[in-house]
Amino acid sequence: MSFCSFLGGEMFKDHFQPGIYVCAKCGHELFSSRAKYEHSSPWPAFTDTMHQDSVSKREDRPGALKVSCGRCGNGLGHEFLNDGPKRGQSRF
């Protein structure tokens, strides 16, 4: 499954079939469907990345990190700290 940046219509928000979400630009593995969960945002929500180097992060504002593909730098949105389904988890 190709995971695009959040600039267009998001087709994977309600998609919950097993698989791996990859960068639409370079094919780098980003997220597993096992880390995906339902959330009220208009985008898919994940608790963790597929690999330690799946994404790169930089501080954007308090409580939020800007997230890009760890290989090609394609913009993917944000990691919201402590906003996951369980206490202490992040939401990508």
Side-chain angles (χ1 to χ4, degrees):
M1 290 168 258
S2 181
F3 188 73
C4 63
S5 59
F6 293 134
L7 299 176
E10 187 45 61
M11 64 176 63
F12 292 112
K13 178 188 177 355
D14 298 318
H15 181 87
F16 287 93
Q17 294 183 8
I20 296 172
Y21 293 81
V22 300
C23 176
K25 198 170 185 181
C26 74
H28 190 54
E29 292 182 339
L30 302 172
F31 305 101
S32 167
S33 60
R34 287 175 277 159
K36 191 171 189 296
Y37 68 99
E38 288 191 52
H39 190 269
S40 61
S41 73
W43 303 285
F46 302 89
T47 56
D48 204 1
T49 59
M50 186 79 179
H51 307 288
Q52 191 171 356
D53 68 346
S54 290
V55 300
S56 62
K57 307 173 191 180
R58 66 176 171 79
E59 190 170 349
D60 188 44
R61 60 183 184 263
L65 304 174
K66 192 77 168 163
V67 178
S68 302
C69 173
R71 180 183 290 159
C72 73
N74 185 31
L76 301 172
H78 289 85
E79 175 182 1
F80 297 98
L81 307 175
N82 299 310
D83 190 40
K86 295 180 184 173
R87 187 180 181 119
Q89 281 185 321
S90 289
R91 172 175 57 92
F92 288 87

